[in-house]
Amino acid sequence: MKIEPQATTRAKGGVRNGAEYIASLRDGRSVWIDGERIKDVTVDRRFRGAIQSIADLYDMQCDPALSDKMTFASPTSGARVGLSFIQPRSAEDLRRRRDMMKTWMDAVGGMMGRTPDFLNVMVSAYASAHELFAVGGERFGQNIVKYHEFIRENDLALTHSLVSPDIDKRKQMFEQPGEMVMRVVGESDAGIYVSGARSVATLGPLANEVLIMPAAAKFPMVEEAEAYAVGFAARIDTPGMKLICRPSFPTRGHFANDPLSARMDEMDAVIWFDNAFIPWERVFMYRSIKAVESAMKSPSGPHGSHQSATRSLAKMEFLLGIAYNLMEVNHSRFPNVLGLLSELVAFVEILRGMVRVAEIDCVPGPNGTVVPYEQPLNVVRAQYPAMHARALEILQFLGAGNVVVAPTVEDLHSESGPAIERYCAGADIPAERKMQLMRLAWDASCSSFAGRQNLYEKFFSGDPWRNAAMRAERYPSAREAQDRVWAFLDRNGEWQQRINGDLSTTAR
Ligand SMILES: Cc1cc2nc3c(=O)[nH]c(=O)nc-3n(C[C@H](O)[C@H](O)[C@H](O)COP(=O)(O)OP(=O)(O)OC[C@H]3O[C@@H](n4cnc5c(N)ncnc54)[C@H](O)[C@@H]3O)c2cc1C
């Protein structure tokens, strides 16, 4: 069976608006949650809030007042396309791209990790280094370039899945029992067939396409892994592909009650392939360990980290905003409270500095592009999980009992309303306004949403322990620092002689 690789019904290219994005999700996708198949994710309460949040981001690109900030002229069609698709050629391009991404991230308080800019940036980076994909065959290099153009001109939203599930961690992916790890199971003149599972795909049910690539840190570079050495893109409504979602967060749909859970649940899913067909035009690596090794040298890591560090900055600023508001509303300007706030200030300023240095100290990349300097971005990846966990703890310290007793909209409009209005009011704000802030503080620091965010920050870019080991292994400035130490020790004799000489002339 041949499926059409092009997933668009739009008359014109360039940036999409929110309504076009929402309409694009009404296809034959197989999305499962709580044991049921969802007919239309755009009208299901478990997905609708997050879909609207992303639609709002798409609308921002179409706002004439923001056009220069959010878009650039496509190098092929001349249409205005999203700036996250740019292949940056200067530090200034990186700054512009960050400005665009920060505008999106500020709109969601940094609480959505997989807004479309994340994968736009990654695919742009892959395409900039297309020669690395051509190692597995000339056509694969061309495919990644064309795919980049395709998603840029149609402004598609992508999810990705790099990791294979494992039943037995002592075993490699090709040794896992039950043939459950996604692998190539067939091929024809038109394309390839894959079966098995991939996890985790955040945003999966809310995306147009999924990008499947091997995970850099985990992939076993041995011949037996050949059937797993595959990279491709697939439409979310690909026949034979289903998304099995985790439960959504408990919310009854009142945004004032659950301002984050109800609007920002970007959803995580396992993707199950059952003899799913992928046309050759969408295949970027195929049964080639060499191609996997080669593609790992692409600059998608530092470019992706530029997006995620920008998000970390926006999120930490948002958490800081909540914290300062809690202090103000509670009139708790005590030295210990200010001490906690100063920790958040330090986190924000460290993050801002790291993002900026990565742009200013960018290095030459493939085909005339530049790549953000990766060391400060690695520092963000390494340190942000602890900063984030501490920030949530600080919100808990500042919110304390106020957060846990914060009423809901239903409470306020119940028989208890008049009592709540008295005991829940702040010194200078009414109960309803204070309740909104307290519910936000709860959702950001204590709810299931907050727990998932904490988990996400630890693991979204892979196992932090392996990442840390890899960063230590490859730290480029280590050699110079080591040599300086040896050079320092080399001067022992010289020092000894000078001191001995000085001592002998002054000795009594
Ligand atoms: C909320 C969330 C969203 C995510 N979204 C995405 C996404 O959109 N796309 C995507 O591709 N991925 C995503 N990830 C997946 C992420 O890439 C993986 O969770 C991550 O790579 C870790 O893999 P794992 O979950 O299999 O953990 P594991 O590898 O199972 O690690 C679990 C623990 O076991 C230890 N461990 C495992 N194997 C070894 C070993 N051989 N030696 C020593 N210690 C070991 C680890 O150190 C760790 O402490 C997401 C993860 C989370 C939590």
Side-chain angles (χ1 to χ4, degrees), residues 145-307:
V145 171
K146 284 189 193 142
Y147 188 63
H148 172 235
E149 184 179 348
F150 169 66
I151 61 170
R152 182 187 69 209
E153 299 302 312
N154 292 291
D155 207 10
L156 297 184
L158 266 60
T159 178
H160 77 329
S161 178
L162 307 182
V163 177
S164 302
D166 40 25
I167 289 176
D168 183 342
K169 287 194 185 303
R170 294 166 303 178
K171 298 193 157 117
Q172 299 282 15
M173 57 175 65
F174 52 84
E175 298 166 329
Q176 294 295 326
E179 298 201 319
M180 58 85 195
V181 178
M182 194 217 76
R183 70 222 173 275
V184 176
V185 292
E187 72 168 79
S188 69
D189 289 347
I192 65 172
Y193 295 83
V194 291
S195 285
R198 270 296 180 112
S199 68
V200 182
T202 299
L203 201 82
L206 285 55
N208 299 114
E209 305 232 336
V210 59
L211 182 72
I212 300 287
M213 290 283 186
K218 269 186 151 180
F219 196 83
M221 302 292 184
V222 292
E223 212 177 291
E224 295 93 313
E226 223 173 63
Y228 303 79
V230 60
F232 61 85
R235 290 165 47 161
I236 296 295
D237 65 349
T238 296
M241 189 178 121
K242 66 158 83 159
L243 281 78
I244 304 164
C245 303
R246 65 157 163 76
S248 67
F249 299 126
T251 160
R252 280 170 296 164
H254 257 304
F255 296 120
N257 290 347
D258 312 297
L260 301 176
S261 310
R263 284 159 57 179
M264 308 281 173
D265 184 2
E266 58 190 344
M267 191 45 79
D268 308 291
V270 169
I271 304 185
W272 181 255
F273 297 90
D274 184 5
N275 209 28
F277 171 73
I278 314 295
W280 281 118
E281 307 90 88
R282 291 289 177 263
V283 179
F284 313 122
M285 340 172 160
Y286 185 62
R287 300 184 72 103
S288 168
I289 304 291
K290 257 208 212 140
V292 174
E293 269 175 324
S294 173
M296 279 173 192
K297 296 186 197 120
S298 94
S300 63
H303 279 293
S305 300
H306 188 227
Q307 191 276 351

Side-chain angles (χ1 to χ4, degrees), residues 18 64 221 263 279 295 311 378 406 459 475 501 505:
M221 302 292 184
R263 284 159 57 179
R311 182 183 60 80
N378 286 347
F459 278 101
Y475 184 54
T505 54

